[in-house]
Amino acid sequence: RRVQVDVGPLEEPSRTSPFLRFSVLDVLIAYVRMARYFDGEYIEDTQSAVSYFVQCSPVLSRDARHESVNETLYTANEHARAVLPALSQASIFEYAAVAEDAARLIETRGFAAAALLDAWRIAVLGQAPKAKVHKLRFLLRWIQHHAPENAFPSTAACCRTVIQ
């Protein structure tokens, strides 16, 4: 089933932080977890999917700010384990697989933007709180127009170094 969503005008980020790439990584980790949990069929139950997605992301659920890849990976995993009991039994290999998938997405600006656009669409369809939707729009806009080119490959490389 194909769903059309109007993004509307995206406001310009007024100032950007060099740490925004870690917020993007956090959101991509939550996106990967959601896609895995719903086995790619998250569009069938968007309200449950968006609830799971927001709960998995410290950036979306509690406005966390990360300053490194290590901190992002650690905080995202510990947060998900704390708020989602099913993840408390997950093995280190499952966490590494999620981190690797997120690294593949953030490696290229286009993949990261496509994943964030899909996450934004799910947030809109699942009726996420406006603040969460706006944060996803801001990150999407930052990726599209303001992120430095080298931010993505270097973040992916750091992510892979941490999980090895």
Side-chain angles (χ1 to χ4, degrees):
R1 175 173 105 200
R2 182 164 229 176
V3 178
Q4 293 286 329
V5 178
D6 180 20
V7 178
L10 294 173
E11 56 278 338
E12 289 289 324
S14 57
R15 52 176 196 219
T16 61
S17 164
F19 302 124
L20 278 175
R21 64 187 174 147
F22 306 126
S23 294
V24 171
L25 179 59
D26 175 292
V27 169
L28 290 176
I29 289 169
Y31 175 78
V32 167
R33 279 203 174 104
M34 177 200 58
R36 284 172 168 254
Y37 182 80
F38 287 91
D39 197 23
E41 298 294 329
Y42 44 87
I43 196 70
E44 299 301 323
D45 186 4
T46 55
Q47 288 185 331
S48 293
V50 78
S51 175
Y52 188 89
F53 171 61
V54 168
Q55 285 180 0
C56 282
S57 169
V59 165
L60 293 175
S61 65
R62 57 183 176 87
D63 201 29
R65 308 249 196 265
H66 307 296
E67 295 185 8
S68 70
V69 170
N70 286 354
E71 179 187 345
T72 304
L73 292 173
Y74 178 78
T75 304
N77 285 328
E78 290 303 309
H79 177 77
R81 289 176 66 148
V83 299
L84 299 164
L87 290 178
S88 66
Q89 302 300 318
S91 73
I92 192 68
F93 299 111
E94 291 173 78
Y95 290 121
V98 167
E100 176 59 32
D101 287 351
R104 287 176 193 261
L105 289 174
I106 204 167
E107 193 166 34
T108 307
R109 181 189 302 259
F111 290 153
L116 275 184
L117 182 60
D118 191 39
W120 177 84
R121 180 179 64 106
I122 294 299
V124 169
L125 293 174
Q127 300 174 350
K130 268 192 171 181
K132 312 303 182 203
V133 173
H134 287 304
K135 186 171 283 194
L136 288 168
R137 281 178 53 174
F138 176 85
L139 292 174
L140 179 59
R141 181 69 172 179
W142 178 76
I143 283 177
Q144 291 175 319
H145 299 286
H146 300 285
E149 279 296 324
N150 66 348
F152 302 103
S154 64
T155 302
C158 289
C159 193
R160 288 192 177 102
T161 301
V162 170
I163 61 175
Q164 287 180 350

